[in-house]
Each structure stands twice: as structure tokens, then as C-alpha cells.
Amino acid sequence: IPLLEYLIPDMPEVRVYSAAFSISMNVIGWTLGLLMMTGDRKYIKLKALFLNPSVITFAVSFTLFAFGVKFPEVIADFIETLGRMSTVVCMTVLGMRLATKSLVRIFTNYRIYIAAAIKLIISPIIIGLMFAFLPVGQEVKTAAFVLACCPGATMIQSLAETHGGDSRTAADIV
């Protein structure tokens, strides 16, 4: 969201596009990602699709927004601060994990290059081509492309740790 706010400052609705993109990527992580990590098909069921932290948080947030719920200023400030901290905290944790890694191991692992190419080159090209033909505004196309160009989320590394996946490779890829 901060990157989009910087690149497209006159379009506050890019926050909504970013939230939709984030929710869809988190749903993929909590379903397909966990299936790929664990081999357990229970993560692909309809229940898993709707009962994951991303969807639950969105449902609660949207309900509060739709009903115009206003929090007292101290709580609203806390929520905003917490939201702004999430990226910083994730990057700090990732930095701590990277500090314990062998850079030689990271840069000599071909699987990392394949994952990076898919996420940082192939995915943005596919998203760019898909949106090129959709009848949506340029700000939507730009937001989608920028979001597709961003590196993978640290969530996948956390999921690998908590669900018995290859957390070392996941951290290296992130």
C-alpha cells in the first residue's frame, strides 16, 4: 500500500485494489500454498477458503466499514499504527532470518532463481497482459502491475514454519 500511495498519490482507491490483491494472494497462500507444502487436501476445501485469517479480517473490517462504525480516537490511532507497523515488523523478522543465512547458499540455489523469475518477471507479464485487455482505468492497471512486481510475502515462510514445510527454502525465496 505505501508503494502504491507513493506512485499514485491522487488515487486513494488504490488502497482498495491493494486490499483485494492482498486478500486474493493470502487466500491462495492459505489454500494452494498449504496444499503444496503439506500435501494435505484439507486446505483446498470450501471451509479453508473462507475460514482463514485474511478472509475473516476482511469480513470483520468490511462489516465495520459498511455499518459506519467509528472507534474512539485512541483505538483508531492504535489500529492505524498497527497497520503501518505490519510491513516494518515483517521486514525486520525477514531481515533477522536472512542475517543467519549463508548468502552463498541462497545465491547458488537454482530453485530460488526459478521462484524469483516466476514471481518477479512472469507473474507481472501475465498480469500486465491480462489487464491490458480489460475495460478498467489506467490506475487499476498500474496498481495490479505494481502489486504483481512486488516480492513474495513473508507469510509463506511463516506458513512453512508452522505447517512443517521447507521453511529454509521458503525464507531464502522470500
Side-chain angles (χ1 to χ4, degrees):
I1 292 176
L3 180 60
L4 287 175
E5 288 175 338
Y6 176 77
L7 292 174
I8 314 170
D10 299 331
M11 305 296 288
E13 57 269 21
V14 297
R15 289 179 180 184
V16 176
Y17 308 144
S18 179
F21 185 87
S22 179
I23 290 167
S24 65
M25 291 296 107
N26 281 314
V27 165
I28 289 170
W30 282 97
T31 55
L32 183 61
L34 284 175
L35 170 68
M36 292 173 69
M37 271 186 241
T38 66
D40 192 341
R41 298 188 70 68
K42 74 179 181 183
Y43 297 108
I44 299 299
K45 296 195 168 133
L46 200 56
K47 179 180 175 184
L49 186 67
F50 291 105
L51 293 180
N52 66 68
S54 300
V55 173
I56 293 169
T57 302
F58 172 75
V60 169
S61 301
F62 184 78
T63 302
L64 293 172
F65 173 76
F67 287 103
V69 174
K70 300 286 185 201
F71 291 107
E73 188 173 342
V74 68
I75 295 174
D77 288 346
F78 173 76
I79 292 170
E80 184 173 341
T81 301
L82 191 61
R84 293 202 181 276
M85 281 179 21
S86 64
T87 301
V88 175
V89 170
C90 287
M91 292 299 110
T92 301
V93 169
L94 180 60
M96 289 171 24
R97 288 179 179 144
L98 282 175
T100 64
K101 303 281 180 191
S102 162
L103 292 179
V104 171
R105 184 182 168 278
I106 292 173
F107 287 106
T108 58
N109 186 342
Y110 76 94
R111 291 169 42 177
I112 294 171
Y113 288 98
I114 292 169
I118 290 169
K119 175 62 182 115
L120 301 173
I121 298 169
I122 295 170
S123 176
I125 289 171
I126 291 170
I127 295 291
L129 289 173
M130 284 176 32
F131 275 83
F133 300 105
L134 291 177
V136 295
Q138 187 59 43
E139 67 280 352
V140 176
K141 294 176 183 182
T142 302
F145 184 74
V146 168
L147 290 167
C149 290
C150 290
T154 57
M155 177 190 87
I156 212 69
Q157 200 274 330
S158 297
L159 288 176
E161 279 184 9
T162 58
H163 289 84
D166 183 359
S167 61
R168 255 179 104 177
T169 301
D172 292 349
I173 288 171
V174 171

